[in-house]
Amino acid sequence: MKAIIPAAGLGTRFLPATKSTPKELLPVLNKPVIQYVVEEALEPSGVDGVVIVNSREKPQIESYFKVDGGYEDMLRSRGKDKEAELVHAASSMPVSFVYQDDPKGLGHAVHCAADAIDGEPFFVLLGDYFVPDRQMCVKMAEVSRAHGNASVIAVAPVPADQVSRYGIIAGECVGSLDGVDAEGEQEGAVWKVTGLVEKPAPEDAPSHLFIVGRYLLSPRIMDLLADQGAGAGGEIQLTDAMERLLAEEEMYAVVVDPDEGCDTGTPAAWAATNARLALADDAQHAGFLEALGDKALGQLG
Ligand code: G1P
């Protein structure tokens, strides 16, 4: 089974940095954002490869994941064996690339990887967000197995005035994750999806559960994406093809806590994610607080 990570966006929110560095390679501590997403994608059992949908303007992503023996040798010759291991580990992951030549939307980006999924169900992980404990996709795989390998998406409650930023589901709660006592919009509740709408106006939203950016999808979606027309924002939307899939196949959603994951989609969110991971890392915690200094710490309250 493969996992697809769309990564062809321009990253305009991070200009001027993203003029020469793809936003996917911006570091959180010492690792590029996309490496966290790749590591998360490889966590559920059965995932044996990650397909990154890249743009031809960002060859740096491909070179990051390519083995560079000369560079590793140079590090080792200077006694930097541990660093050479880190570099080697990043470039030994099962990552392949396809290209999206025209930025026509998320649905179009996913369809660019149609030939790579070998007719199997596949994950999609949006790359502006990653889950450090990597368990969100594992839970989704569990729900899928419990429901005849149906498609599963991760969803979470969102305030009514923010529904128009996201894909929103319609459906009903039909149970909960194994060992979790949850109902309605509580974390761990499992919903049967009956409808999906991308970026609805608040009055048209069928629920307050938004699609978080983690999908486990039936391969049939690739056939539907092949002739999917433009939707919200004039883009080919994955959500619209999923809505069509509902006419043929069952789909489930699992309610998650989006704060389990870290947002890197804006400079402020990216900075907060760096702070959060530095605080959570035993090796970085004390140095981070010291570098921040009393004044900044005071401002944090
Ligand atoms: C995409 C999806 C949307 C989802 C969101 C999560 O929207 O189309 O359904 O809720 O990601 O971040 P975008 O953020 O690309 O507008």
Side-chain angles (χ1 to χ4, degrees):
M1 178 159 54
K2 298 288 181 277
I4 299 173
I5 302 177
L10 286 173
T12 48
R13 285 176 177 159
F14 284 88
L15 282 169
T18 42
K19 175 174 178 280
S20 59
T21 303
K23 71 171 174 178
E24 292 78 9
L25 293 184
L26 295 176
V28 169
L29 301 184
N30 62 332
K31 240 174 10 183
V33 167
I34 197 165
Q35 189 172 344
Y36 291 90
V37 187
V38 169
E39 288 169 352
E40 181 189 342
L42 290 169
E43 186 74 17
S45 64
V47 176
D48 59 4
V50 173
V51 184
I52 294 177
V53 183
N54 197 8
S55 104
R56 301 206 187 262
E57 315 301 316
K58 302 198 285 188
Q60 302 97 317
I61 302 181
E62 197 157 344
S63 56
Y64 179 75
F65 285 107
K66 218 180 245 162
V67 176
D68 184 343
Y71 188 66
E72 290 174 27
D73 289 347
M74 181 277 290
L75 287 170
R76 288 203 171 86
S77 72
R78 294 177 183 210
K80 305 245 175 238
D81 289 345
K82 208 171 127 228
E83 288 79 0
E85 269 320 301
L86 288 175
V87 169
H88 187 74
S91 45
S92 326
M93 293 193 287
V95 173
S96 60
F97 287 82
V98 296
Y99 287 91
Q100 183 185 22
D101 288 319
D102 221 354
K104 291 192 205 155
L106 177 60
H108 180 254
V110 169
H111 187 255
C112 289
D115 290 342
I117 61 154
D118 298 329
E120 300 283 334
F122 61 95
F123 280 96
V124 176
L125 291 91
L126 303 191
D128 279 347
Y129 176 83
F130 65 85
V131 182
D133 78 1
R134 306 173 192 168
Q135 291 307 297
M136 199 177 281
C137 291
V138 174
K139 287 178 206 162
M140 292 162 62
E142 188 186 305
V143 174
S144 178
R145 273 194 301 274
H147 293 280
N149 297 323
S151 298
V152 176
I153 47 180
V155 295
V158 66
D161 62 350
Q162 290 174 28
V163 290
S164 59
R165 294 190 204 165
Y166 299 106
I168 303 291
I169 66 161
E172 55 169 348
C173 180
V174 292
S176 61
L177 280 174
D178 255 4
V180 178
D181 188 14
E183 55 184 38
E185 296 185 351
Q186 290 173 339
E187 193 186 333
V190 174
W191 283 48
K192 186 162 191 295
V193 179
T194 54
L196 296 127
V197 44
E198 183 67 17
K199 300 189 172 62
E203 59 276 18
D204 298 331
S207 79
H208 292 148
L209 289 174
F210 82 99
I211 303 170
V212 165
R214 296 291 178 268
Y215 310 75
L216 172 50
L217 295 171
S218 151
R220 172 73 180 136
I221 197 84
M222 289 298 192
D223 304 328
L224 299 172
L225 282 171
D227 63 5
Q228 182 63 48
E235 298 191 334
I236 297 174
Q237 298 288 354
L238 180 57
T239 307
D240 293 344
M242 290 166 66
E243 162 76 15
R244 284 167 65 208
L245 182 64
L246 282 176
E248 303 176 23
E249 296 182 9
E250 289 190 344
M251 186 181 299
Y252 291 84
V254 57
V255 181
V256 299
D257 173 4
D259 292 340
E260 274 172 31
C262 298
D263 187 359
T264 59
T266 62
W270 170 82
T273 288
N274 272 278
R276 198 172 139 187
L277 262 60
L279 288 172
D281 181 340
D282 288 343
Q284 310 276 355
H285 186 104
F288 173 68
L289 290 179
E290 195 187 324
L292 210 48
D294 289 342
K295 197 165 167 209
L297 276 173
Q299 284 174 333
L300 284 176

